[in-house]
Amino acid sequence: MRKPMLAGNWKMNKTRDEAIQFELAVADKLPKSVDCVVCAPAIILRDLVKRAPEGLKIGAQNMHEKESGAFTGEISPVMLKDVGVEYVIIGHSERRTYYNETDQKVNEKIKKALEFGLKPIVCVGETLEEREGNKTEAVLETQVTKALEGVEISNTEDVIIAYEPIWAIGTGKNADQNTAEEACSYIRGIVEKVQSKKVADEIRILYGGSVKVNNIKDYMQMPNVDGGLVGGASLKADDFVELCNKAI
Ligand code: PEP
């Protein structure tokens, strides 16, 4: 049985006070049967970890692949571990697009995250052009294979893959449940090929891309979708609570 996960990606939103208000508002309202996570801006992570209500886990949105060094402005896995963060998003399409995050970098980051006891939420997904050119499977194959190359997954709960078609992120044009299922099932097949059947059966695969309170249930009905990675709709406490409670 794979435990469902609902992970919010706040992106570059919320001040410290707004984030603390969010935590107060969701306290005692989150289901125990779902891993409920918010991935917040780095500067407020320590405050969120300190005040996190029961059932709310905290994640970062990115990390550098090195432990320390001359990388001005970057945040290392050691620092994330030090503030008590549990999860870290790796390879979000916005990082791939705007910050030149390559498959190679994604692979290095996953390995480093695991080395420091952080759980990576690894994002993969195709552009609209790639989908229309029937390249979705090839893109997913490359991204997943390269991401997991040489990665030792000893605990399958520690690595999460998020299928996030780029054309669905922040556009309001969500992939329908069958499209999401098809891609997540395909990704599970790649994981079986590059890791093992056990890892493929146990690893959680989320769908992300314009998930809202009114469509999360559609995805949760699909056998290969284990939850959602949610941007915009995770910002309001009430919506986040509803999303988590519907992700069962
Ligand atoms: C995301 O940022 O990962 C995302 C899926 O955003 P949205 O839910 O706003 O489409």
Side-chain angles (χ1 to χ4, degrees):
M1 267 301 279
R2 301 186 292 263
K3 187 175 183 186
M5 171 176 281
L6 195 295
N9 173 18
W10 284 353
K11 311 193 190 199
M12 198 172 68
N13 291 293
K14 287 200 192 293
T15 61
R16 174 182 175 277
D17 283 355
E18 287 166 348
I20 291 168
Q21 285 308 313
F22 178 101
E23 283 195 329
L24 291 172
V26 303
D28 301 325
K29 294 178 187 155
L30 298 173
K32 287 195 170 57
S33 55
V34 177
D35 277 336
C36 308
V37 184
V38 288
C39 297
I43 198 163
I44 56 175
L45 287 172
R46 182 180 285 281
D47 288 298
L48 287 180
V49 169
K50 265 201 217 158
R51 294 170 171 78
E54 207 187 323
L56 183 68
K57 296 159 184 244
I58 307 299
Q61 299 172 7
N62 177 42
M63 53 162 246
H64 198 271
E65 65 276 14
K66 297 275 193 306
E67 293 163 45
S68 63
F71 301 102
T72 303
E74 290 292 325
I75 304 228
S76 83
V78 181
M79 296 166 188
L80 293 181
K81 196 63 195 168
D82 186 49
V83 301
V85 160
E86 189 171 343
Y87 294 92
V88 57
I89 297 175
I90 305 276
H92 191 279
S93 64
E94 287 152 17
R95 303 254 3 137
R96 292 181 190 254
T97 306
Y98 306 137
Y99 303 98
N100 198 26
E101 202 155 298
T102 60
D103 288 329
Q104 165 77 24
K105 281 255 180 294
V106 168
N107 176 254
E108 288 171 30
K109 288 184 183 199
I110 295 169
K111 287 178 180 160
K112 264 296 179 235
L114 289 172
E115 189 184 323
F116 284 91
L118 298 161
K119 300 173 183 172
I121 301 173
V122 184
C123 300
V124 295
E126 79 288 358
T127 62
L128 185 59
E129 202 183 357
E130 287 162 345
R131 173 157 286 270
E132 287 176 349
N134 288 323
K135 293 187 183 133
T136 300
E137 292 190 350
V139 169
L140 295 178
E141 177 109 35
T142 303
Q143 289 182 342
V144 175
T145 304
K146 290 194 172 172
L148 297 182
E149 205 172 293
V151 174
E152 273 187 42
I153 304 178
S154 42
N155 186 352
T156 46
E157 286 204 345
D158 291 356
V159 179
I160 297 98
I161 298 177
Y163 168 61
E164 294 216 310
I166 295 167
W167 47 272
I169 298 177
T171 59
K173 290 185 190 146
N174 56 306
D176 66 37
Q177 65 200 90
N178 295 316
T179 305
E181 166 62 19
E182 205 178 301
C184 291
S185 158
Y186 188 74
I187 290 169
R188 209 175 288 288
I190 305 166
V191 174
E192 180 170 347
K193 233 181 346 178
V194 300
Q195 290 275 328
S196 66
K197 170 141 176 53
K198 181 181 183 310
V199 172
D201 285 346
E202 293 178 5
I203 201 166
R204 286 174 291 180
I205 304 179
L206 315 180
Y207 165 72
S210 299
V211 172
K212 309 270 183 248
V213 291
N214 62 4
N215 62 26
I216 180 73
K217 267 191 175 297
D218 298 342
Y219 299 109
M220 297 314 296
Q221 285 164 12
M222 308 314 282
N224 283 291
V225 183
D226 304 312
L229 178 56
V230 186
S234 71
L235 287 167
K236 283 195 191 141
D238 288 353
D239 287 352
F240 183 76
V241 166
E242 198 172 338
L243 283 162
C244 290
N245 281 285
K246 284 181 168 170
I248 292 173

